[in-house]
């Protein structure tokens, strides 16, 4: 994998001056400019003369007047209809050294070249780049806890190393809770490790700096039940708010029997408790190939994720319906295995593996924008999603595929 990082400050492409002798670094559409005066130019006198010659300039046109001991310069906003003012400045070779158009400084973006397709789909359309890439913010989920409520997580796997750490054994995984008699979160099934690698793996996952908290709900006999699920959720409910960090639950287990139209209120009650405490809840839609009834979600702000195939078509096994708010790749998944600390498997399939991709995107958003209420996070995911329309079993459908937040197209080094 090749990673490239954009510098945090990129002014503009130097286009050269057009009909002017003063060098001008231009940004198309920018009307705000940093004007660098000559070292011997008296800025007070220059600005007074400029305002006298162009009285039509707004009174607040000079947004910043910098200390000349620091930089003999000022920032000015010139309305498009007053372009003659900029022409005047650019022609004043006696007093002006250069002009730089102002731009909005944006967050760094990291590019992972040739990633697993499951990642590339979360930051670009297939035909957007000549090759698949995964672009994501430099923050990469840092400071966000992803609670993987599952079969445990192999904390020693190389996918969970601390990015940039000198020690190859430093792990971002900690055992938060386990229903087993030894209280450990070792993963003997592999499901939890695979899920965690998609949410936050170094090369396979979305949020590469997020913390992973293993919540093991499989008992010593390998079984998970509603009772063990509740025990794990109760732990997250009590532990997550006290950390002061944004928290996301990934729950890639069955949440309903059938279409959810005649379910006991237990699941919705638990989710309401968690989201009411500010904990974001992402769950898989399950693999029955049926339409979930509206009663299944009852307008709760949790995030149910369905599975798409390699052509962005709904996977035959995925549940669907209005409760399935988001979609992500769920077939031919490249995932961390448990055969060794560097083992990789390539045939994962299921909504279980679509959900953690969205949980990872949620972590990216929270790392970039800070804590927010669950309904607000749902809105953020929807605003940033790639929307694809199609049909399923003769009915029109809309697939919203969350995208890693980024503020500009990243470049390749």
């Amino acid at each position: 994998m090749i990673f490239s990082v954009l510098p945090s400050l990129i002014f503009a492409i130097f286009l050269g001056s057009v009909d002017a002798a003063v060098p001008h670094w231009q940004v198309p559409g920018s009307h705000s400019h940093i004007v660098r005066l000559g070292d011997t130019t008296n800025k007070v006198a220059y600005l007074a003369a400029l305002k006298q010659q162009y009285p039509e300039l707004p009174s607040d046109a000079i947004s910043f007047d910098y200390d000349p001991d620091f930089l003999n310069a000022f920032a000015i906003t010139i309305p498009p209809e007053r372009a003659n003012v900029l022409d005047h400045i650019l022609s004043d070779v006696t007093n002006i050294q250069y002009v730089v158009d102002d731009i909005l400084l944006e967050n760094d973006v990291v590019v992972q070249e040739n990633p697993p397709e499951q990642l590339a789909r979360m930051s670009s359309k297939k035909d957007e780049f000549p090759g698949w890439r995964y672009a994501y913010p430099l923050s990469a989920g840092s400071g966000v806890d992803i609670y993987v409520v599952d079969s445990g997580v192999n904390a020693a796997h190389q996918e969970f190393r601390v990015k940039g750490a000198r020690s190859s054994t430093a792990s971002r995984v900690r055992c938060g809770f386990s229903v087993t008699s030894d209280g450990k979160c070792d993963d003997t099934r592999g499901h939890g490790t695979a899920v965690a690698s998609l949410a936050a793996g170094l090369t396979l996952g979305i949020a590469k700096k997020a913390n992973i908290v293993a919540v093991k709900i499989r008992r010593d006999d390998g079984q998970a039940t509603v009772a063990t699920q509740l025990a794990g959720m109760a732990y997250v409910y009590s532990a997550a708010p006290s950390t002061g960090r944004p928290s996301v639950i990934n729950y890639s287990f069955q949440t309903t029997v059938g279409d959810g139209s005649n379910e006991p209120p237990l699941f919705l009650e638990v989710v309401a408790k968690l989201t009411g405490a500010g904990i974001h809840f992402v769950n898989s839609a399950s693999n029955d190939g049926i339409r979930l009834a509206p009663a299944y979600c009852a307008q709760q702000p949790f995030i149910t994720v369905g599975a798409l195939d390699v052509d962005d078509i709904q996977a035959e096994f995925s549940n669907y319906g209005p409760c399935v708010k988001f979609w992500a790749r769920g077939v031919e998944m490249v995932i961390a295995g448990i055969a060794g600390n560097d083992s990789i498997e390539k045939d994962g399939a299921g909504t279980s593996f679509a959900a953690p991709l969205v949980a990872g995107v949620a972590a990216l958003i929270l790392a970039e924008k800070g804590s927010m209420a669950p309904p607000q996070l749902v809105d953020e995911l929807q605003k940033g999603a790639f929307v694809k329309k199609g049909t399923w079993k003769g009915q029109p459908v809309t697939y919203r595929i969350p995208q890693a937040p980024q503020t500009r197209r990243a470049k390749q080094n």
Side-chain angles (χ1 to χ4, degrees):
M1 301 294 178
I2 300 172
F3 296 86
S4 59
V5 182
L6 283 177
S8 59
L9 182 62
I10 301 176
F11 279 119
I13 299 172
F14 180 48
L15 301 179
S17 55
V18 179
D19 297 328
V22 173
H24 181 199
W25 278 261
Q26 295 178 269
V27 175
S30 177
H31 304 298
S32 182
H33 316 277
I34 314 299
V35 179
R36 173 65 161 97
L37 297 167
D39 290 336
T40 60
T41 298
N42 184 309
K43 182 169 54 173
V44 174
Y46 182 88
L47 289 176
L50 188 69
K51 292 175 182 178
Q52 183 176 8
Q53 185 169 352
Y54 298 101
E56 67 273 19
L57 275 176
S59 59
D60 59 352
I62 308 301
S63 53
F64 290 97
D65 184 356
Y66 304 106
D67 184 342
D69 290 336
F70 168 67
L71 187 70
N72 197 22
F74 60 91
I76 184 172
T77 300
I78 302 174
E81 64 272 17
R82 303 300 180 202
N84 60 319
V85 179
L86 180 60
D87 292 339
H88 169 85
I89 292 172
L90 291 173
S91 66
D92 190 354
V93 295
T94 302
N95 292 299
I96 309 300
Q97 283 194 20
Y98 56 81
V99 175
V100 175
D101 286 0
D102 200 8
I103 63 169
L104 179 67
L105 299 182
E106 300 164 337
N107 296 325
D108 286 356
V109 175
V110 183
V111 175
Q112 179 179 349
E113 301 287 353
N114 300 313
E117 287 192 5
Q118 65 218 24
L119 298 190
R121 192 60 192 84
M122 306 305 282
S123 72
S124 67
K125 299 193 289 285
K126 281 186 178 181
D127 57 354
E128 188 171 1
F129 296 121
W132 279 69
R133 305 175 184 178
Y134 170 54
Y136 60 94
L138 185 60
S139 56
S142 178
V144 178
D145 294 336
I146 301 178
Y147 291 81
V148 178
V149 181
D150 214 292
S151 61
V153 178
N154 176 16
H157 199 287
Q158 293 298 295
E159 280 295 311
F160 307 129
R161 298 192 316 274
V162 176
K163 190 173 177 63
R166 293 183 179 180
S167 171
S168 61
T169 60
S171 177
R172 290 175 289 124
V173 179
R174 68 178 178 86
C175 180
F177 173 83
S178 176
V179 297
T180 58
S181 56
D182 62 7
K184 296 181 179 180
C185 293
D186 299 343
D187 187 10
T188 58
R189 293 289 180 129
H191 193 269
T193 297
V195 165
S197 72
L198 293 169
L202 271 185
T203 63
L204 305 178
I206 295 289
K208 302 175 187 298
K209 294 183 182 178
N211 306 314
I212 303 163
V213 185
V215 179
K216 186 172 181 177
I217 61 170
R218 285 195 182 275
R219 303 177 308 210
D220 291 335
D221 62 4
Q223 299 300 310
T225 69
V226 174
T228 63
Q229 172 214 67
L230 288 177
M233 300 299 185
Y235 160 75
V236 180
Y237 177 76
S238 63
S242 64
T243 67
R245 295 185 294 271
S247 300
V248 179
I249 289 176
N250 187 91
Y251 184 70
S252 288
F253 271 81
Q254 187 174 8
T255 55
T256 181
V257 177
D259 67 359
S261 60
N262 192 29
E263 291 291 298
L266 183 60
F267 174 67
L268 288 178
E269 188 176 352
V270 168
V271 171
K273 276 286 190 181
L274 293 164
T275 55
I279 302 166
H280 306 280
F281 191 92
V282 181
N283 69 287
S284 56
S286 294
N287 305 324
D288 306 305
I290 60 175
R291 185 181 189 277
L292 294 175
Y296 164 75
C297 54
Q299 304 303 313
Q300 292 286 346
F302 63 94
I303 300 163
T304 300
V305 183
L308 298 175
D309 66 13
V310 295
D311 295 314
D312 290 341
I313 297 172
Q314 184 174 318
E316 287 285 345
F317 57 76
S318 180
N319 288 353
Y320 58 98
C323 288
V324 182
K325 294 184 176 74
F326 300 103
W327 296 80
R329 175 70 66 82
V331 301
E332 296 184 16
M333 307 293 280
V334 184
I335 53 180
I338 59 171
N341 292 340
D342 58 357
S343 64
I344 302 295
E345 300 176 5
K346 297 184 178 180
D347 294 316
T351 58
S352 284
F353 298 145
L357 295 175
V358 177
V361 174
L364 295 182
I365 293 171
L366 293 167
E368 285 289 288
K369 299 193 174 185
S371 296
M372 62 184 71
Q376 185 181 353
L377 178 61
V378 172
D379 289 343
E380 290 289 334
L381 286 166
Q382 288 177 332
K383 284 192 297 185
F386 171 70
V387 178
K388 178 179 179 179
K389 296 185 180 294
T391 59
W392 183 255
K393 297 185 176 180
Q395 298 297 315
V397 292
T398 299
Y399 301 120
R400 288 181 173 83
I401 307 171
Q403 303 288 287
Q406 49 187 296
T407 47
R408 58 172 166 246
R409 186 79 56 85
K411 70 176 183 180
Q412 180 180 3
N413 285 345

